[in-house]
């Protein structure tokens, strides 16, 4: 059986590139891992990556800031709803205080027995920092921003998906991927993502039959996809064949993302999942190790469009 080992990354379409960069690197203390451009279509849009200093899989959040083309979507049901990141136990109060002082409204809640800090990206996408007892990853520290090891984000905890039909989504998550169902109660459903390193990561599903259908296209203000890590190409292609063989034929061929390779599948609950693995060169393919995320880089196949793309991008200060 093909294997998954944790998340690879989570990807959103946001609004302003400057707000986006400041939110993740200054408010949350993540590090710039890569600055490149959207590989699909023809619109010049940044693709920004944030995470641990070395860009470790399962720490990566990526965004497409859509302010300049002014393409915006609708958050709703049958769509990924929230981005979840892991923090050390006892760190919630630090984050509530830090975010509120920075003008980002934040509050502490409990769901599925876990303490969380709830707040939103400047474009409105819900985020949560979840205190996790079972996360051996070292916290991402950022001395410049005043975030030490007692409070730093450890990486991806998971995501929330809103659905109308919980049964169809349950079948997809437990049979197609497959994930292990951990909870099914009045708050929703929880599925554990297998991880060889022992890190607890999850997909949480809530039922929402009242909201309108959420946007599935690349459009500002929405989560675009949730990427799971297959570790290598063999596992990726085996899992792709397994999913397609079950009849989930809305699955893409492998796509070259320069630093990793991906296949995408639309779940019956609306959320778009990606199956990804990092290539041997990884982030150092076009920037030296230890200095990733410092320059704007383009894939080789955009060499003839580089001047055009630079001209069309929103102006921002990535510092």
């Amino acid at each position: 059986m093909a294997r998954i080992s944790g998340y690879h990354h989570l990807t959103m379409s946001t609004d302003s590139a400057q707000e986006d960069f400041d939110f993740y690197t200054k408010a949350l203390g993540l590090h710039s891992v890569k600055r490149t451009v959207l590989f699909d279509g023809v619109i010049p849009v940044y693709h920004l990556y944030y995470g641990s200093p070395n860009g470790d899989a399962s720490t990566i959040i990526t965004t497409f800031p859509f302010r300049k083309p002014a393409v915006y979507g609708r958050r709703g049901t049958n769509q990924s709803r929230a981005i979840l990141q892991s923090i050390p136990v006892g760190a919630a109060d630090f984050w509530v205080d830090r975010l509120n002082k920075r003008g980002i409204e934040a509050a502490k809640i409990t769901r599925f027995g876990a303490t969380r800090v709830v707040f939103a990206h400047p474009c409105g996408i819900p985020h949560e920092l979840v205190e996790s007892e079972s996360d051996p990853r070292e916290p991402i520290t950022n001395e410049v921003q005043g975030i030490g090891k007692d409070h730093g984000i450890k990486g991806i905890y998971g995501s929330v998906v809103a659905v109308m039909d919980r049964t169809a989504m349950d079948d997809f998550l437990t049979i197609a991927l497959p994930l292990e169902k951990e909870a099914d109660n009045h708050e929703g459903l929880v599925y554990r993502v297998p991880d060889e390193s022992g890190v607890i990561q999850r997909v949480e599903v809530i039922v929402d039959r009242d909201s309108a259908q959420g946007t599935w296209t690349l459009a500002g203000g929405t989560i675009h996809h949730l990427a799971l890590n297959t570790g290598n190409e063999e596992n990726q292609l085996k899992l792709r064949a397994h999913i397609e063989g079950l009849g989930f034929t809305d699955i893409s061929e492998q796509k070259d993302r320069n630093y990793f390779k991906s296949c995408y599948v639309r779940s019956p609950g609306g959320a778009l999942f990606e199956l990804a693995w990092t290539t041997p060169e990884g982030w150092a393919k076009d920037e030296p190790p230890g200095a990733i995320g410092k320059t704007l880089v383009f894939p080789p196949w955009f060499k003839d469009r580089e001047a055009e793309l630079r001209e069309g991008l929103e102006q921002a200060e990535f510092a």
Side-chain angles (χ1 to χ4, degrees):
M1 182 65 192
R3 295 187 303 276
I4 288 171
S5 185
Y7 278 89
H8 191 274
H9 64 271
L10 303 175
T11 294
M12 293 160 280
S13 299
T14 58
D15 184 19
S16 159
Q18 190 67 64
E19 284 183 344
D20 190 79
F21 187 83
D22 291 347
F23 175 74
Y24 285 112
T25 65
K26 297 178 182 178
L28 297 188
L30 301 182
H31 297 263
S32 176
V33 171
K34 188 64 61 176
R35 298 203 302 270
T36 183
V37 293
L38 175 61
F39 290 178
D40 298 323
V42 296
I43 300 175
V45 175
Y46 286 113
H47 193 178
L48 306 178
Y49 294 74
Y50 311 97
S52 68
N54 295 324
D56 300 305
S58 87
T59 71
I60 302 297
I61 303 292
T62 97
T63 63
F64 301 112
F66 265 84
R67 173 166 289 187
K68 189 163 185 180
V71 176
Y72 297 103
R74 175 174 60 199
R75 292 187 293 276
T77 193
N78 286 343
Q79 180 194 60
S80 294
R81 173 68 58 89
I83 297 295
L84 313 181
Q85 294 171 286
S86 171
I87 55 174
V89 173
D93 289 335
F94 167 88
W95 283 103
V96 170
D97 183 62
R98 176 183 175 86
L99 293 170
N100 278 305
K101 283 181 177 177
R102 289 172 170 262
I104 301 170
E105 186 176 348
K108 187 164 68 171
I109 67 165
T110 300
R111 191 173 71 251
F112 296 121
T115 299
R116 303 156 186 255
V117 179
V118 294
F119 57 104
H121 185 283
C123 75
I125 296 174
H127 280 55
E128 298 180 10
L129 302 179
V130 186
E131 290 190 356
S132 178
E133 297 179 352
S134 302
D135 191 339
R137 293 174 293 186
E138 286 295 314
I140 299 169
T141 60
N142 192 320
E143 293 182 4
V144 173
Q145 300 303 329
I147 300 173
K149 65 180 182 179
D150 291 337
H151 308 112
I153 291 170
K154 293 189 170 188
I156 295 168
Y157 179 86
S159 54
V160 177
V161 178
V163 302
M164 288 186 177
D165 184 348
R166 55 182 277 159
T167 302
M169 191 62 174
D170 183 72
D171 288 345
F172 176 81
L173 292 175
T174 58
I175 299 171
L177 289 181
L179 311 182
E180 175 189 352
K181 182 155 55 171
E182 289 188 326
D184 185 345
N185 58 37
H186 68 284
E187 293 182 302
L189 302 95
V190 180
Y191 301 84
R192 180 170 174 173
V193 179
D195 192 313
E196 294 173 354
S197 66
V199 178
I200 304 298
Q201 298 172 75
R202 295 181 167 100
V203 175
E204 299 179 354
V205 175
I206 60 173
V207 177
D208 179 359
R209 299 190 179 96
D210 299 320
S211 299
Q213 168 68 55
T215 304
W216 285 356
T217 56
L218 282 164
T222 63
I223 299 171
H224 188 254
H225 63 262
L226 318 172
L228 301 173
N229 191 5
T230 67
N232 57 53
E233 185 170 44
E234 181 183 7
N235 279 329
Q236 180 192 61
L237 298 181
K238 281 183 178 179
L239 184 55
R240 185 194 179 283
H242 166 71
I243 292 170
E244 188 173 42
L246 290 171
F248 295 103
T249 54
D250 187 8
I251 187 166
S252 75
E253 298 298 324
Q254 187 187 79
K255 295 180 181 292
D256 186 351
R257 298 314 193 190
N258 212 27
Y259 316 105
F260 51 92
K261 295 193 177 181
S262 305
C263 299
Y264 300 85
V265 58
R266 180 74 65 184
S267 69
L272 182 65
F273 284 83
E274 177 181 343
L275 314 174
W277 57 278
T278 303
T279 61
E281 292 173 292
W283 309 115
K285 187 169 186 175
D286 46 22
E287 291 179 298
I292 59 173
K294 306 301 183 187
T295 59
L296 178 61
V297 294
F298 296 84
W301 54 87
F302 277 176
K303 204 64 182 174
D304 61 339
R305 292 189 61 208
E306 187 171 327
E308 169 204 344
L309 292 169
R310 284 183 183 274
E311 180 66 25
L313 292 169
E314 173 190 348
Q315 295 301 306
E317 294 292 330
F318 297 112

